[in-house]
């Protein structure tokens, strides 16, 4: 028997029993609900396992304690679940969306995405959000009955956070809200803000650990300074590691509480009865307060100028961009250097295959690489000392 969701659900939450369904009709799951099934399929996907070796800000091999896309996604899921539970929204759905939200990211974080988008500029562009949807809709190939993971509409809706009007037109029901300017479910909205809450805070943590930013500089930032004052008043002799953790856990906490309180009052003021009422809104109901939005912006600006644009991060981004562009160009010039399975999967040398289709197949291959795989593939193609056939004796 299918298990109904055991938590409290408000009438305007997504309800697994009233899901808009899956593209391919399936039997109802046994002992779990439809959103749990979605989450489980995401966890068992190859794209999810690759997140372990993909950069968030720092390249994976630079240090074992830095966040990767995998640990980032787990932190987002933790925050999203807490908020969903408190607001009577569907915790399993929020978790599924959180775990899948970064599946379409290229290697090397945003530098990789920018480079691949540039390579694809004459072929429809590349956007990691759309790519996450592409991964769960078609690129994961291991089920006998369907391509992709055949997830419910609600999980797919949450994964597609942003989308251009042009792309939205090609996506059917899932793209409609970008054309009508309406909203997704509250679970989708809260996961998006949980993402931001997670990375703003863990980037401060990683930046301090890496020595790229300093506690003294962060004292200019209100969100940090307030918690610093509370912690240092209460504990006089903390070492830096404990001090930083005590501050950051409080920063996450005040952001989460602000988000819950503000969203709860938005929901109460709107008088929602069903999920349709949520989707009809022109503005998101899940939100931070005006005050939190401002102090959060101050932190974001600080991170942009001091961390994301730090010369050591910038050097890594430059290398990343060079690797992605070189791989793309080499594969486009001669697709025969692609591994056979990739070649057969994405390059169909029929007369009517457009260059755009070939470019998309290559972009899918590159986007699926982990940081280290991309580096090794680059070496294999461009380093003459990396011989493919070491036994070739003249
Ligand atoms: Mg993210």
């Amino acid at each position: 028997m299918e298990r109904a969701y055991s938590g409290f659900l408000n009438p305007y939450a997504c309800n697994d029993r009233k899901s808009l369904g899956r593209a391919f009709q399936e039997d109802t799951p046994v002992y779990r609900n439809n959103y749990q099934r979605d989450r489980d399929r995401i966890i068992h996907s190859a794209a999810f396992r690759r997140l372990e070796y993909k950069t968030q800000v720092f390249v994976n091999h630079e240090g074992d304690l830095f966040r990767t896309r995998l640990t980032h996604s787990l932190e987002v899921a933790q925050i999203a679940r807490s908020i969903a539970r408190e607001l009577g929204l569907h915790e399993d759905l929020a978790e599924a969306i959180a775990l899948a939200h970064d599946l379409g990211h290229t290697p090397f974080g945003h530098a990789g995405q920018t480079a691949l988008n540039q390579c694809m500029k004459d072929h429809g562009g590349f956007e990691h959000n759309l790519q996450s949807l592409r991964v769960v809709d078609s690129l994961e190939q291991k089920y006998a009955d369907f391509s992709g993971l055949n997830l419910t509409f609600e999980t797919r809706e949450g994964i597609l956070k942003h989308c251009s009007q042009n792309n939205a037109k090609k996506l059917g029901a899932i793209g409609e809200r970008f054309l009508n300017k309406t909203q997704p479910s509250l679970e989708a909205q809260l996961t998006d803000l949980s993402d931001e809450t997670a990375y703003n805070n863990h980037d401060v943590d990683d930046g301090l650990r890496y020595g790229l930013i300093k506690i003294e500089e962060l004292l200019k930032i209100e969100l940090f300074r307030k918690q610093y004052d509370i912690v240092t008043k209460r504990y006089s002799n903390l070492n830096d590691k404990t001090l930083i953790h005590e501050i950051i856990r409080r920063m996450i906490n005040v952001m989460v509480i602000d988000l819950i309180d503000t969203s709860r009052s938005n929901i109460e003021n709107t008088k929602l009865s069903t999920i349709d009422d949520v989707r009809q809104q022109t503005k998101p109901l899940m939100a931070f307060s005006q005050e939190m939005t401002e102090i959060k912006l101050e932190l974001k600006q600080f991170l942009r100028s001091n961390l994301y644009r730090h010369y050591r991060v910038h050097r890594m981004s430059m290398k990343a961009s060079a690797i992605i562009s070189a791989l793309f160009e080499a594969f486009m010039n001669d697709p025969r250097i692609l591994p056979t399975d990739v070649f057969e999967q994405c390059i169909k040398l029929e007369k009517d295959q457009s260059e755009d289709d070939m470019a998309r197949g290559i972009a899918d291959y590159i986007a699926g690489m982990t940081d280290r795989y991309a580096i090794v593939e680059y070496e294999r193609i461009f380093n003459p000392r990396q011989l493919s056939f070491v036994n070739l004796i003249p």
Side-chain angles (χ1 to χ4, degrees), residues 116-126:
L116 194 52
N117 187 31
Q118 178 65 21
C119 296
M120 288 291 288
K121 70 177 192 307
D122 298 329
H123 310 289
F126 179 89

Side-chain angles (χ1 to χ4, degrees), residues 72 101-102 195:
H72 162 70
H101 86 283
D102 269 356
D195 182 21

